[in-house]
Amino acid sequence: MFGIQSSYVVVPQFLYNLFVIGGGAISLIMTAMLARCLVFRKARPAFPYLLLILFLSKLLFQLSVTGKICGHMMIGG
């Protein structure tokens, strides 16, 4: 199911869908939580963790959308 080619990585379709849909949704949620963290100064210790989750979710979303991560059903045959 997993395969590494020269310009992309093939993952199971379910995992690809999770990266695209989940990565976009988590990015929006984390952006809202970071804005809330900046407005209300109480949750300051959570700020680095929120930034890390935001970075990882945006990275997975971006790699999936640009075609660097492909679902196995996206490869023609």
Side-chain angles (χ1 to χ4, degrees):
M1 234 5 120
F2 291 96
I4 299 175
Q5 303 297 325
S6 61
S7 61
Y8 58 90
V9 176
V10 180
V11 296
Q13 191 67 34
F14 174 74
L15 196 58
Y16 173 78
N17 292 341
L18 187 68
F19 289 163
V20 171
I21 296 169
I26 290 176
S27 295
L28 291 174
I29 292 168
M30 287 299 124
T31 303
M33 289 181 75
L34 280 172
R36 182 179 179 272
C37 187
L38 290 175
V39 171
F40 302 113
R41 304 271 182 201
K42 293 179 188 176
R44 210 54 163 164
F47 194 75
Y49 300 113
L50 293 176
L51 279 176
L52 178 67
I53 294 171
L54 178 66
F55 174 74
L56 290 177
S57 64
K58 284 197 178 276
L59 178 69
L60 287 174
F61 179 74
Q62 188 67 28
L63 288 175
S64 298
V65 171
T66 58
K68 300 298 181 191
I69 298 176
C70 296
H72 75 282
M73 296 183 77
M74 294 175 66
I75 309 298

